[in-house]
Amino acid sequence: MNLLEKLSKEILIADGAMGTLLYSYGTDSCFEELNLSHPEQIQAIHQAYIEAGADVIQTNTYAANYLKLQRYGIEDSVKEINSAAVRHAKQVAGANTFVVGTIGGNRGIKPESIPIEDIKRSFREQLDCLLLEGVDGLLLETFYDLEELETVLTIARKETKLPIIAQVSLQEPGVLQNRTPINDALIRLEELGANVVGLNCRLGPYHMLLTLEQIKLPQQAFLSAYPNASLPAYTDGKFHYVGDADYFRSSAESFRDQGVRLLGGCCGTTPDHIKAFAAALKDRTPVTNKVVKFKQKEIVMKEKAPKAKPEYEPLQDIVKRRPSIIVELDPPRKLNTKKFFEGAKALKQAGIDALTMADNSLATVRISNESLGYLVKKELGVRPLIHIACRDRNLIGLQSHLMGLFTLGMNDVLAITGDPARVGDFPGASSVYDVSSFELIQMIKQMNQGLSFSGKDLGEKTVFSVAAAFNPNVRSVEKAVKRLEKKISYGADYFISQPVFSEEKLLEVYENTKHLDTPIYIGLMPLTSSKNAEFLHNEVPGIKIADSIREQMFAYNNDPEQAAREGIEITKQLIDAALDLFNGIYLITPFLRYELTLELAHYAKERAGILRGNSYVETTIY
Ligand SMILES: Cc1cc2nc3c(=O)[nH]c(=O)nc-3n(C[C@H](O)[C@H](O)[C@H](O)COP(=O)(O)OP(=O)(O)OC[C@H]3O[C@@H](n4cnc5c(N)ncnc54)[C@H](O)[C@@H]3O)c2cc1C
Ligand SMILES: [Zn+2]
């Protein structure tokens, strides 16, 4: 009797974790390599699961593919590893035990980071090895990404008539990472030819059963479930699972009630857990009818999730319609905030459209821009624009930060990769970079759809308007514009540029960006001294100052006051030139010297009013 014939008559018990057991023995390298170096360990684990009552065991090949083995530099051993793994399992399995060849999913929370063509190539290689060695079926497990599973299942179905078990993994009960409801996903897998469809990993019995309650019995295929033992705990530098076998014994009946025909274990489970399942389901009469609990609430929520009304008109709309001035005033590096608030107040009175606040720019510690942004908004009525760098926060921190900003009513953000920690005042600090500016933009835009980065329902839609950085101070502005186009494709609403220090550069930027619909705020920063000009030119990444301007500043080398005046005059000329070409002006305040940007803001407003027939002045929004 083959696996499917047997499943049509009874509930079968599968084995539990391989990886967790090897890890608990102290193995901290490649588990699949042990097929070659420690076959006795692998066979002992298979043996233990069979003795516990497993009817189906899986080969130790979860990550034995090119993509994953290359982390260990053994990607050329795909064939040896898979062949050895099948031999080990078959050697231990008696006539009554089925051996399924396991192939695990590769894609995680950032699916597009592994191109589908790479997945196909790597999958085909592993599949051929397993089929050649002779398995009783295939187990495609731990697929978070439905596209990946659909792709490999299609390939496998063409290659073999053997039974195929196709299992997805869920970050949260009921839906896949891309928000596909679990029922739809399993129906799709059955259509693509899977004989057994189900769930494994990530969820323990409680959440897996909650999901199973929503799952209809498949038409032809059988249902499978391989729950984890529990959530993992991390102690003494190691992960471990706490779920005990008695808990599994008591949940076995519920898995049966949900129509599960193939019941095994995933991470954290041991032969004891499998023994508990086997004991609890001794009679193994399968359920052929069940009442499904429809839980479409969540999906409906996504469509109907409330969308907050933003307090301000989006800057990208304002700047498309009329000249607009925003000013950067960075949070101080020390705890005294008096000058910062004075500056914010004065700039607000000057009628700027928003006050932008850097996120530890140049990787140098400053007071959190979230805190100061909140205070200037609340106390002074200033519209804050918060820079968010990917350097200081991981995926969790970034999302919680964004949710916090939304909660505080701060909906204007600039999404940047951020200067790396090594350039700043804590060079040993780690630069996180879980995502780059592109993915950060995408993350924020997804929140505007009511979804977290992994696709979790947020219950409400955020209303962020997302700026991205533009650095035109590079050898090839064309290349920089290609980056802008990519940022637009990820969802950037408008751009804010690094400071530009010559009229030629302004013109070059204009010529290279005039085809874009996405507006640009052109960066302008008053120089304060010759030394300041030389530092920026020579030492700050992304800033280049025209020789003529550096010479102008050098002329006042010994007169700081005159030098600052000169800096203002140069910037005024640049404002005139910029306003001929762009509606957006972004003034950067050096060293909290807001009197400089204040004068420039007044000047720019006046010039914009003159140039655009006073349309600017009357439409200031607060
Ligand atoms: C308006 C503005 C505000 C800023 N605010 C902050 C801040 O608050 N905190 C902070 O830490 N930094 C800030 N920066 C600096 C910024 O993070 C760096 O200049 C960054 O390298 C470029 O912007 P990004 O982070 O969006 O990089 P991305 O465009 O995401 O680029 C990432 C990486 O690619 C490189 N790169 C960028 N353009 C090109 C190109 N044309 N060719 C080849 N490689 C390229 C960059 O050097 C960078 O390492 C700001 C920059 C701008 C323009
Ligand atoms: Zn697992």
Side-chain angles (χ1 to χ4, degrees), residues 358-363 387 389 391 414-419 437 469-470 474 479-480 483 487 496-498 586:
D359 187 9
N360 303 321
S361 53
L362 291 173
H387 301 199
R391 177 198 53 239
L414 167 68
I416 40 178
T417 301
D419 301 313
S437 60
F470 170 30
V474 283
K479 250 196 190 163
R483 269 186 109 67
K487 286 180 180 177
I496 308 184
S497 91
Q498 289 277 21
Y586 161 59

Side-chain angles (χ1 to χ4, degrees), residues 37 45 121 146 202 219 324 415 429 471 510 519 585 589:
S37 60
I45 292 175
R121 212 171 308 124
L146 188 59
R202 170 79 187 170
Q219 299 264 311
S324 167
N471 180 10
Y510 173 73
I585 301 288
T589 310

Side-chain angles (χ1 to χ4, degrees), residues 224-521:
S224 64
Y226 285 47
N228 277 0
S230 68
L231 294 170
Y234 189 68
T235 34
D236 300 332
K238 280 194 123 224
F239 287 101
H240 66 97
Y241 292 81
V242 294
D244 73 6
D246 278 348
Y247 179 56
F248 264 50
R249 193 186 314 272
S250 58
S251 65
E253 197 61 35
S254 307
F255 280 103
R256 177 185 169 277
D257 292 346
Q258 293 309 324
V260 171
R261 286 289 174 103
L262 178 63
L263 181 61
C266 206
C267 297
T269 57
T270 64
D272 282 347
H273 294 86
I274 297 309
K275 201 169 170 182
F277 272 166
L281 297 176
K282 252 197 326 282
D283 65 359
R284 301 180 182 187
T285 4
V287 161
T288 49
N289 254 322
K290 77 181 250 199
V291 180
V292 176
K293 273 195 197 166
F294 276 105
K295 261 214 176 155
Q296 296 295 352
K297 184 174 133 250
E298 219 174 331
I299 294 122
V300 174
M301 269 277 279
K302 191 196 141 201
E303 302 309 324
K304 293 202 178 151
K307 191 171 166 73
K309 203 173 148 17
E311 201 170 328
Y312 306 108
E313 180 183 2
L315 282 170
Q316 67 268 24
D317 293 349
I318 292 179
V319 72
K320 272 188 186 166
R321 151 168 100 60
R322 63 154 168 86
S324 167
I325 295 151
I326 58 176
V327 178
E328 175 169 336
L329 184 69
D330 289 336
R333 295 177 191 208
K334 296 190 178 172
L335 290 169
N336 188 332
T337 51
K338 186 164 170 278
K339 199 164 176 199
F340 174 85
F341 284 111
E342 272 171 20
K345 193 171 173 186
L347 288 161
K348 183 208 153 50
Q349 280 162 358
I352 61 166
D353 281 323
L355 191 73
T356 99
M357 277 156 269
D359 187 9
N360 303 321
S361 53
L362 291 173
T364 297
V365 177
R366 293 170 182 274
I367 297 177
S368 125
N369 57 2
E370 181 183 24
S371 318
L372 293 186
Y374 178 67
L375 288 175
V376 293
K377 180 171 187 290
K378 188 160 168 267
E379 309 283 331
L380 307 173
V382 169
R383 177 178 188 167
L385 193 161
I386 306 293
H387 301 199
I388 306 176
C390 303
R391 177 198 53 239
D392 303 332
R393 296 177 192 87
N394 66 11
L395 266 176
I396 302 164
L398 279 172
Q399 293 181 88
S400 124
H401 182 46
L402 285 160
M403 288 166 80
L405 288 173
F406 170 72
T407 306
L408 294 173
M410 291 186 274
N411 298 311
D412 296 294
V413 291
L414 167 68
I416 40 178
T417 301
D419 301 313
R422 78 183 118 80
V423 310
D425 56 356
F426 286 92
S430 47
S431 300
V432 180
Y433 299 140
D434 272 2
V435 289
S436 70
S437 60
F438 300 112
E439 288 145 339
L440 178 58
I441 296 167
Q442 183 191 347
M443 176 193 290
I444 304 170
K445 280 312 182 70
Q446 211 159 301
M447 286 188 160
N448 282 358
Q449 298 302 314
L451 299 174
S452 78
F453 194 55
S454 66
K456 257 191 176 153
D457 196 326
L458 294 175
E460 231 180 278
K461 293 174 177 169
T462 58
V463 284
F464 288 112
S465 143
V466 188
F470 170 30
N471 180 10
N473 299 312
V474 283
R475 233 177 295 140
S476 158
V477 173
E478 263 173 50
K479 250 196 190 163
V481 172
K482 287 266 164 303
R483 269 186 109 67
L484 298 193
E485 285 163 358
K486 189 167 166 195
K487 286 180 180 177
I488 293 170
S489 75
Y490 276 78
D493 292 313
Y494 63 104
F495 293 105
I496 308 184
S497 91
Q498 289 277 21
V500 171
F501 290 97
S502 75
E503 291 183 23
E504 295 74 41
K505 184 55 95 178
L506 286 172
L507 202 56
E508 188 186 5
V509 171
Y510 173 73
E511 288 300 334
N512 279 281
T513 58
K514 63 182 183 207
H515 63 287
L516 300 177
D517 270 346
T518 312
I520 299 173
Y521 279 91

Side-chain angles (χ1 to χ4, degrees), residues 66-181:
Y66 183 93
L67 293 171
K68 285 189 174 153
L69 292 181
Q70 66 184 352
R71 281 187 217 149
Y72 303 95
I74 53 171
E75 65 275 20
D76 291 336
S77 305
V78 172
K79 187 170 183 338
E80 291 91 313
I81 290 176
N82 282 281
S83 307
V86 180
R87 285 199 304 274
H88 301 327
K90 281 171 62 168
Q91 213 160 331
V92 179
N96 295 326
T97 311
F98 297 100
V99 172
V100 290
T102 295
I103 303 184
N106 294 284
R107 282 178 159 182
I109 199 161
K110 289 193 265 173
E112 62 289 336
S113 65
I114 311 179
I116 209 74
E117 285 309 315
D118 293 0
I119 285 172
K120 283 185 187 169
R121 212 171 308 124
S122 164
F123 179 80
R124 280 203 179 95
E125 183 186 21
Q126 189 182 5
L127 176 70
D128 287 348
C129 300
L130 292 171
L131 293 179
L132 210 66
E133 205 60 49
V135 284
D136 300 316
L138 293 170
L139 171 60
L140 311 179
E141 66 167 355
T142 329
F143 284 81
Y144 285 93
D145 183 57
L146 188 59
E147 183 196 14
E148 181 181 10
L149 181 52
E150 287 175 348
T151 306
V152 300
L153 173 58
T154 307
I155 295 175
R157 190 68 294 165
K158 272 196 195 140
E159 289 291 315
T160 180
K161 291 198 161 53
L162 287 175
I164 301 178
I165 308 161
Q167 292 180 159
V168 295
S169 296
L170 308 179
Q171 299 280 357
E172 60 178 312
V175 280
L176 274 77
Q177 188 168 277
N178 69 355
R179 308 308 297 170
T180 305

